[in-house]
């Protein structure tokens, strides 16, 4: 398993889920860090309602922006509550990066909390197997990055990370 950066207590929670210890997943040397990682226009951006949630032909809501600045609709709160409850019932814990994306998993699962929980478990298992004890280092993928296949940042017209 990856080396934990900090130990989480058994009661520690993130977004209503039990949380696992945090480990370093990426290491970027200082010379490869941009001085500003968030464009100034993103700080004051206020998305319109259609950019936040789209209603699909089936009538289901498809959330497009998942962050704490945009409150969840009442219809989104019940599946999230069910997801949290099932995770607690099964005594499951996740890394904070998986916990904070619970609404994304629910969107992909079309509101099915059981399916969303399975996706969260699969993601957690992948993270633990991929980062086997050490972070991904920029120096290790420098050649790959020179081909332009991987991008760590960018924004669409609604300031969503791309």
């Amino acid at each position: 398993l990856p080396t934990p950066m900090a130990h989480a207590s058994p009661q520690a929670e993130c977004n209503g889920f039990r949380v696992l210890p945090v480990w370093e997943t990426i290491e970027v040397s200082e010379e490869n860090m941009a001085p500003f990682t968030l464009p100034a226009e993103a700080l004051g951006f206020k998305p319109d309602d259609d950019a936040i949630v789209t209603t699909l032909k089936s009538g289901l809501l498809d959330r497009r922006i998942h962050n704490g600045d945009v409150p969840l609709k009442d219809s989104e709160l019940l599946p999230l509550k069910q997801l949290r409850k099932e995770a607690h019932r099964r005594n499951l814990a996740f890394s904070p990066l998986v916990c904070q994306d619970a609404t994304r998993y629910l969107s992909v699962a079309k509101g099915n909390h059981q399916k969303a929980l399975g996706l969260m478990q699969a993601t957690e298992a992948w993270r633990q197997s991929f980062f086997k004890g050490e972070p991904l280092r920029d120096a290790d993928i420098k050649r790959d990055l020179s081909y332009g296949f991987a991008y760590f940042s960018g924004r669409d017209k609604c300031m969503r990370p791309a």
Side-chain angles (χ1 to χ4, degrees):
L1 286 178
T3 306
M5 290 171 44
H7 294 284
S9 72
Q11 296 81 26
E13 287 197 357
C14 171
N15 191 23
F17 296 90
R18 288 187 185 99
V19 68
L20 294 171
V22 177
W23 62 85
E24 194 172 350
T25 56
I26 188 164
E27 185 178 290
V28 179
S29 58
E30 194 153 336
E31 74 252 11
N32 289 330
M33 285 191 204
F36 301 101
T37 58
L38 187 67
E41 58 270 18
L43 296 174
F45 181 74
K46 299 288 184 220
D48 61 31
D49 289 343
D50 289 339
I52 298 169
V53 178
T54 301
T55 303
L56 303 175
K57 290 178 185 177
S58 66
L60 291 173
L61 297 178
D62 183 26
R63 178 169 282 273
R64 301 292 173 100
I65 296 180
H66 302 261
N67 69 34
D69 295 340
V70 181
L72 296 174
K73 295 184 178 295
D74 289 341
S75 60
E76 296 172 295
L77 291 172
L78 179 59
L80 181 58
K81 184 178 179 179
Q82 292 170 325
L83 178 61
R84 289 170 174 158
K85 185 177 179 179
E86 185 63 17
H88 278 275
R89 187 185 73 73
R90 292 196 209 173
N91 201 29
L92 298 174
F94 301 95
S95 64
L97 290 173
V98 174
C99 296
Q100 71 188 17
D101 283 343
T103 56
R104 291 182 189 276
Y105 292 102
L106 282 165
S107 275
V108 169
K110 296 185 171 101
N112 180 323
H113 69 280
Q114 296 283 359
K115 184 175 180 181
L117 191 57
L119 295 170
M120 290 173 71
Q121 289 178 281
T123 300
E124 192 63 51
W126 173 84
R127 288 176 53 76
Q128 290 186 19
S129 69
F130 186 83
F131 295 108
K132 300 177 192 132
E134 61 182 52
L136 180 64
R137 292 180 178 83
D138 59 347
D140 297 338
I141 61 169
K142 188 173 185 165
R143 181 171 173 232
D144 295 325
L145 292 173
S146 72
Y147 294 116
F149 90 97
Y151 300 92
F152 289 106
S153 66
R155 304 269 165 194
D156 69 7
K157 66 180 177 150
C158 293
M159 293 294 126
R160 295 180 290 237

